[in-house]
Amino acid sequence: MNGAAAIELLDVRKQFGATRIIQGVNLSVRQGERLAIIGPNGAGKSTLFNLISGRFPLTSGRIRLNGQDITGLPPYRINRLGLSRSFQVTNIFHRMSVYENIRCGVLWSLGYKYSFWHPVNRLRDVQRRAEETMERIGLARRRNVQAGVLSYAEQRALEIGITIAGGAEVILLDEPTAGMSRTETAQAVELIRTVTEGKTLIMVEHDMGVVFGLADRISVLVYGEVIATDTPEAVRANPAVQEAYLGGMHKEAAA
Amino acid sequence: MSTLRYRPLDLGRWIVWGATALLFALAPLMSDASFVLTLLSQMGILIIFALSYNMLLGQGGMLSFGHAVYSGLGAYFTVHALNLVGKGAFWFPVTLLPLVGGLAGLAFGLIFGYVTTKKSGTTFAMISLGIGEMVYACVLMFPAFFGGEGGISTNRVVGEPVLGLTYGPALQVYYLIAAWAFVSMAAMFALTQTPLGRMANAVRDNPERAEFVGYNTQRVRYLQMCLSAFFAGVAGGLSCINYEIVSAENVSALRSGGVLIATFIGGVGLFFGPILGAIVFTLFAIALSGFTKAWLLYLGLFFLAMVLYAPGGLAWLIAIQIPVLRARRFSELLWPYALALAAGLMLLCGLIGAVEMIYHLSLESAEESVIALAGLEVDVRALPSWLAVGALLAAGGVAMRHASRFVSARWHAIQQDIQRGAA
């Protein structure tokens, strides 16, 4: 883990009409670090992701990816610079097979861009990378199944697969375990741990318990402001966090 | 559940393409009638045009109301090139002349496509309609280049024959069209198997996700549009050589609508759909128009029926039989299908009777009230004729109702068994 910042947010603000959703967020994530952003519903976690990944324009502030200013760039540009994200609501290519879904995530990163002269079935490097990715997310045996008919947990795994397929160095996962059972969640966390090995990971999570063993640091977002960024233990012990987010429930446990 | 194969089945593919080539080569031997050649030539041209249209609609999810712009302008540039060759301004083999149409189509695709593909969905459709109308207006406004209402005529027999090909005889023109159609089909199929072709599907299905895996969706649509315009231009170039005249009709909304209908009837979801659509559409437009003035009405009704009952088109109707055939259950459907066919024919007879009698009453001269329908003398002013037609329609309707229930009951039973077997 070296000290250079993979992602830097400088006084990032976002307003929808008169409503201030993100109110001056400053955040720095080192390369190779795993950061979890937690917070109650409506805190602006997903909005923050949408700002970083270029889905929405910022109202003000700057965002840097590996030192390069990416403020205002369209999503595909940011993706090409090595940042890839998943979505809270499963966002896959439903009519395509698992293999084709993963392949969509691979093509640009291997330099095939808008090529209309390469026969895609004969691209060994694309095939290899797609196979590897399917193996890692545990969907290799489902390769020919149409994505739309996969089980929910499988679709979530595929969502992560598309996100990591391009080999991006910075991975943003938006509530990857949303709607999963306890067992499925545990499996998903293990999956996230292995596939983001050596990469910078930022993930949004509603439930602090999920990220406790996974994240190096946790940022707590409340009403569009980061009220604390620290190690999981310190965050859990932080009285302000307990007040705002945990509602004092864990006071005794933390003590 | 469909299990698609990704390793290309080379043998199967060779057989399909080989059979297609053979069919193209042997088709004119069906009959000596010049009518057949006319029909086949038009089919070949429309196959290219419809496939190019489906690069937008089926593969890219772009509903265009102005695709004739590219084929039509391709045809205009081809006609000028042909006339220049005829005057001896330069030498160019007629065989390769559709390339001029293709390049013109591509050039206008680069210009207009840049505007249309900025947006997708309804906005794209509206802009394509607007550009179609604009180009049509321009064609009438600049008669020096476009020849006004009458258009520009030409003579395809120019220059020294290359390899003995003069393109005087219609048979030579047919083979020119067939060769171009075959090459274009193969090229357009190959394009579906490239990164751009695959990402066009991705952008069609989920543009947002495509943006987050590195693709500018606008650029994907634009490139797809340009390539599509190239093949539309090739089709236009061939139609110029085939008819030896190009007029404003070539860029009209009528043509744009025609290719939309042909493509949809054939089926936008499968590559070979538009090929079937082109064949059926041409049969309606050329073969049926020789028998009845109401052909356009029949085409409209057929289109309507397809949209309502088989939105996946003819190709889809065929494709869904394949799992049943694989499960060796097709024989169980033969009887229901036969009944449905019989009911459909009855309904169709009643419909044709009614339509032809009404057309006769409203269009033909009043003195002759007897028309020949399927070898029968029918008096359109006599009550029994109308009663017979009404009876056919009613009986056909009732029979169709029962037959379709029969078909769907059997169909669902078989599908359930297949799914259970797969699970």
Side-chain angles (χ1 to χ4, degrees), chain B residues 35-361:
Chain B
F35 166 75
V36 171
L37 269 184
T38 311
L39 193 72
L40 289 174
S41 298
Q42 180 131 344
M43 277 178 188
I45 294 169
L46 191 57
I47 284 173
I48 304 177
F49 193 28
L51 280 173
S52 86
Y53 185 76
N54 204 40
M55 286 180 72
L56 298 180
L57 181 59
Q59 289 151 32
M62 291 174 269
L63 174 62
S64 168
F65 291 121
H67 204 49
V69 163
Y70 308 103
S71 65
L73 291 175
Y76 271 113
F77 277 80
T78 311
V79 82
H80 283 297
L82 188 53
N83 281 340
L84 285 174
V85 172
K87 280 186 208 149
F90 58 92
W91 180 88
F92 197 81
V94 175
T95 311
L96 297 179
L97 217 50
L99 213 53
V100 173
L103 291 174
L106 176 65
F108 286 101
L110 283 163
I111 299 167
F112 297 137
Y114 187 75
V115 184
T116 52
T117 57
K118 273 202 179 295
K119 295 279 189 281
S120 60
T122 312
T123 320
F124 172 88
M126 292 302 126
I127 301 175
S128 75
L129 184 65
I131 286 184
E133 290 305 306
M134 184 191 82
V135 168
Y136 185 71
C138 285
V139 163
L140 296 177
M141 262 160 60
F142 302 107
F145 186 82
F146 296 108
E149 290 274 8
I152 294 174
S153 51
T154 185
N155 179 5
R156 69 188 172 220
V157 186
V158 292
E160 286 294 303
V162 179
L163 304 170
L165 294 170
T166 60
Y167 296 113
L171 188 65
Q172 288 186 8
V173 176
Y174 165 75
Y175 278 116
L176 175 74
I177 292 169
W180 273 96
F182 186 76
V183 171
S184 302
M185 274 164 69
M188 280 187 266
F189 180 75
L191 280 173
T192 65
Q193 304 296 312
T194 62
L196 180 71
R198 303 320 300 156
M199 288 317 293
N201 285 179
V203 169
R204 171 198 69 195
D205 292 346
N206 190 345
E208 180 174 66
R209 192 48 147 144
E211 291 244 315
F212 287 95
V213 293
Y215 281 87
N216 179 349
T217 53
Q218 200 177 316
R219 181 69 61 82
V220 170
R221 286 195 300 270
Y222 181 46
L223 290 172
Q224 186 77 2
M225 171 87 211
C226 291
L227 291 170
S228 161
F230 172 80
F231 289 104
V234 168
L238 285 167
S239 86
C240 157
I241 294 170
N242 190 35
Y243 297 109
E244 298 183 299
I245 184 164
V246 181
S247 66
E249 203 255 326
N250 285 59
V251 298
S252 65
L254 200 66
R255 282 284 170 93
S256 298
V259 74
L260 164 60
I261 289 173
T263 308
F264 198 91
I265 286 175
V268 299
L270 290 153
F271 180 80
F272 70 97
I275 300 173
L276 295 182
I279 292 169
V280 171
F281 185 91
T282 313
L283 285 174
F284 268 99
I286 301 220
L288 200 59
S289 67
F291 291 109
T292 168
K293 291 196 176 78
W295 71 273
L296 205 53
L297 179 71
Y298 292 122
L299 177 65
L301 287 171
F302 182 57
F303 178 60
L304 210 61
M306 290 300 290
V307 173
L308 284 173
Y309 301 111
L314 298 170
W316 173 77
L317 280 178
I318 294 170
I320 58 171
Q321 311 300 331
I322 291 171
V324 180
L325 281 167
R326 277 217 185 107
R328 297 176 193 282
R329 299 287 293 273
F330 192 74
S331 57
E332 294 166 45
L333 285 171
L334 284 176
W335 184 229
Y337 280 174
L339 284 180
L341 188 70
L345 281 176
M346 216 193 303
L347 206 56
L348 191 65
C349 287
L351 183 80
I352 291 172
V355 168
E356 292 304 320
M357 282 159 66
I358 293 168
Y359 254 72
H360 188 76
L361 278 179

Side-chain angles (χ1 to χ4, degrees), chain A residues 53 55 76 79-80 85 87 91-93 95-97 100 107 113-115 118 120-121 144 159 163, chain B residues 2 4 6 191 193-196 198 201-202 205-206 208-209 211-216 219-220 223:
Chain A
S53 60
R55 198 185 192 191
Y76 52 88
N79 178 267
R80 291 173 201 169
R85 69 164 293 179
F87 292 80
N91 202 345
I92 55 181
F93 303 106
R95 281 160 70 183
M96 293 186 178
S97 71
E100 284 183 301
L107 284 171
K113 302 186 175 179
Y114 304 107
S115 156
H118 289 100
V120 84
N121 290 317
N144 292 334
E159 173 86 39
T163 309
Chain B
S2 65
L4 300 165
Y6 293 94
L191 280 173
Q193 304 296 312
T194 62
L196 180 71
R198 303 320 300 156
N201 285 179
D205 292 346
N206 190 345
E208 180 174 66
R209 192 48 147 144
E211 291 244 315
F212 287 95
V213 293
Y215 281 87
N216 179 349
R219 181 69 61 82
V220 170
L223 290 172

Side-chain angles (χ1 to χ4, degrees), chain A residues 208-225:
Chain A
M208 182 147 78
V210 169
V211 295
F212 212 78
L214 183 64
D216 300 317
R217 283 194 303 160
I218 295 178
S219 284
V220 184
L221 191 70
V222 178
Y223 295 121
E225 285 178 280

Side-chain angles (χ1 to χ4, degrees), chain A residues 17-18 53 73 96 136 154 159-160 176 205 216 230 237 239 243:
Chain A
S53 60
L73 290 185
M96 293 186 178
R136 294 178 77 186
E154 285 173 328
E159 173 86 39
I160 294 176
E205 190 48 71
D216 300 317
D230 219 324
E243 192 59 40

Side-chain angles (χ1 to χ4, degrees), chain A residues 160-191:
Chain A
I160 294 176
I162 299 170
T163 309
I164 61 163
E169 283 302 312
V170 180
I171 307 284
L172 271 60
L173 301 179
D174 193 353
E175 296 211 25
T177 65
M180 283 189 180
S181 71
R182 207 166 268 280
T183 334
E184 286 168 344
T185 301
Q187 284 169 353
V189 169
E190 264 324 290
L191 172 64

